[in-house]
Amino acid sequence: MNLSSCTAVAGTNIALVKYWGKRDVALNLPATGSLSLTLKELGTRTTVRFGSHFGPDDRVRLNGQDPDDKTRSRIGAFLDLVRAHAGISARAEVVTENSVPTAAGLASSASGFAALALAASRAAGLILEPAQLSALARRGSGSAARSIFGGFVEMQPGVFSDGTDAVAAPVPEGDGWPVRLVVAVTSEGAKHMGSTEAMDRTARTSPFYAGWLESVPQDLQDARAAIAERDLHRLGTVAERSAMRMHASAMAAAPPILYWTPSTLAAMQTVRGLRDSGVAAYFTIDAGPHVKVLCEAADVPQVEAALSATPGVLRTVVASPGRGARILHETTS
Ligand code: DP6
């Protein structure tokens, strides 16, 4: 088997129908499906090289720095999966750069593990089908399974206990729909409770978790129909509902989980104000305080202006639909 070096890129994705809860923690199988949009402007570029001379540990550089222990061991555990699959024992050198603030609720783990799955598997000599890559990326982070694909993407929870059917696939009806996501950044680099821990606590302690799980299939059905009809109002309405229900289930956990700040709420009110004045804009919020606003490309200037004028919004980032994970270059030794 050839060991080579591989550089891959992946865009992050923002879920319009959220993933929140697992049916199997060890294999990281989601309890429900989810549906997202992969983004062009926000993502990760990762180079992986395996080498027998690297010593006992993997070497990891994240945005030019040594990662914290938790991130290092998460990446090491992921590389162990790739090594087991490829039948190799060599340690790896991983150099990864994010164009999104890591762990600031801008979904860097989604693009991070999608890029790592592609770069590490290729560098280890494996050539995986897209569905297999999606299943591999899922082991790093559930949302990463979706970033293997571009545009609108649906993740299946699957029914098999080995997780081989818990993979994502594109929703091609959405191809070429020029929607935008305007991200209102409300804090820089702040640490929040990670999704993994928060969804676990929600599942164990929230009386609203069962209601959340029950609500997702209808949201998925509506989102699929909205994409097929290119109906932004319908899609945005589902996206807001899904985000609110996800956060409601987390807020009802013990101890409660609250990601929102006054700026988050102010940005949500701004989006409602935009709608009242006739602009089709809809928010979604992940495991952090930022607000992501779905709108038409033509309305971006108005949406950006309104969000920028909102108290506590530090800056805005405009993102558009992007391609799936792909290889930039590779060398075989
Ligand atoms: C709120 O994929 O980060 O962004 O599988 O435990 O790594 P793990 O969780 P992760 O959760 C993402 C949660 C979310 C919603 C979503 O992206 O669907």
Side-chain angles (χ1 to χ4, degrees):
M1 189 160 296
N2 283 329
L3 292 184
S4 56
S5 156
C6 180
T7 300
V9 287
T12 194
N13 70 77
I14 300 297
L16 302 173
V17 178
K18 301 294 185 197
Y19 148 54
W20 197 250
K22 303 174 197 272
R23 70 178 171 93
D24 183 306
V25 171
L27 292 176
N28 207 25
L29 305 177
T32 63
S34 55
L35 192 147
S36 59
L37 181 64
T38 300
L39 303 178
K40 183 162 85 183
E41 292 79 1
L42 304 173
T44 305
R45 173 195 168 112
T46 298
T47 301
V48 178
R49 197 158 60 98
F50 286 96
S52 42
H53 56 288
F54 285 160
D57 296 317
D58 295 307
R59 297 180 195 168
V60 182
R61 294 289 283 174
L62 175 58
N63 296 325
Q65 295 177 333
D66 290 335
D68 58 43
D69 289 348
K70 200 171 160 192
T71 305
R72 179 189 303 282
S73 67
R74 208 168 156 189
I75 292 173
F78 188 83
L79 291 168
D80 286 344
L81 289 174
V82 175
R83 277 187 280 262
H85 197 139
I88 61 171
S89 58
R91 299 294 106 180
E93 184 182 71
V94 177
V95 178
T96 185
E97 304 282 339
N98 283 329
S99 60
V100 293
T102 301
L106 283 179
S108 58
S109 72
S111 53
F113 280 105
L116 184 62
L118 181 53
S121 60
R122 293 290 289 228
L126 297 166
I127 296 183
L128 302 179
E129 295 295 322
Q132 293 175 303
L133 261 181
S134 178
L136 175 62
R138 188 202 72 233
R139 298 291 297 272
S141 204
S143 52
R146 300 185 306 237
S147 274
I148 296 299
F149 303 98
F152 289 96
V153 177
E154 183 172 352
M155 175 76 189
Q156 299 296 334
V159 293
F160 300 153
S161 56
D162 67 0
T164 45
D165 58 345
V167 296
V171 181
E173 291 81 357
D175 286 356
W177 189 10
V179 297
R180 295 291 180 268
L181 270 171
V182 181
V183 182
V185 177
T186 58
S187 70
E188 297 284 5
K191 287 277 171 207
H192 308 279
M193 183 187 283
S195 317
T196 309
E197 189 185 345
M199 66 175 82
D200 172 63
R201 186 189 295 172
T202 304
R204 283 186 295 103
T205 66
S206 175
F208 297 169
Y209 182 64
W212 155 254
L213 292 184
E214 222 169 273
S215 73
V216 178
Q218 184 64 54
D219 285 351
L220 284 169
Q221 197 176 313
D222 286 356
R224 271 184 233 118
I227 292 167
E229 293 158 11
R230 307 253 160 144
D231 183 338
L232 190 69
H233 174 69
R234 188 169 180 190
L235 184 60
T237 302
V238 177
E240 280 197 5
R241 186 170 79 205
S242 177
M244 294 296 267
R245 287 175 177 172
M246 178 205 116
H247 283 271
S249 73
M251 282 179 209
I257 299 159
L258 181 63
Y259 287 111
W260 301 352
T261 64
S263 325
T264 312
L265 274 165
M268 290 157 82
Q269 295 292 10
T270 294
V271 172
R272 291 187 167 183
L274 279 164
R275 274 211 300 278
D276 289 344
S277 65
V279 179
Y282 307 86
F283 63 76
T284 183
I285 305 163
D286 292 300
H290 315 296
V291 177
K292 292 120 189 187
V293 182
L294 179 70
C295 64
E296 303 276 7
D299 290 329
V300 164
Q302 235 179 311
V303 171
E304 269 201 294
L307 288 171
S308 300
T310 302
V313 172
L314 304 175
R315 62 193 170 100
T316 55
V317 180
V318 182
S320 51
R323 293 153 65 191
R326 60 203 177 277
I327 293 167
L328 282 190
H329 55 84
E330 53 187 334
T331 55
T332 307
S333 52

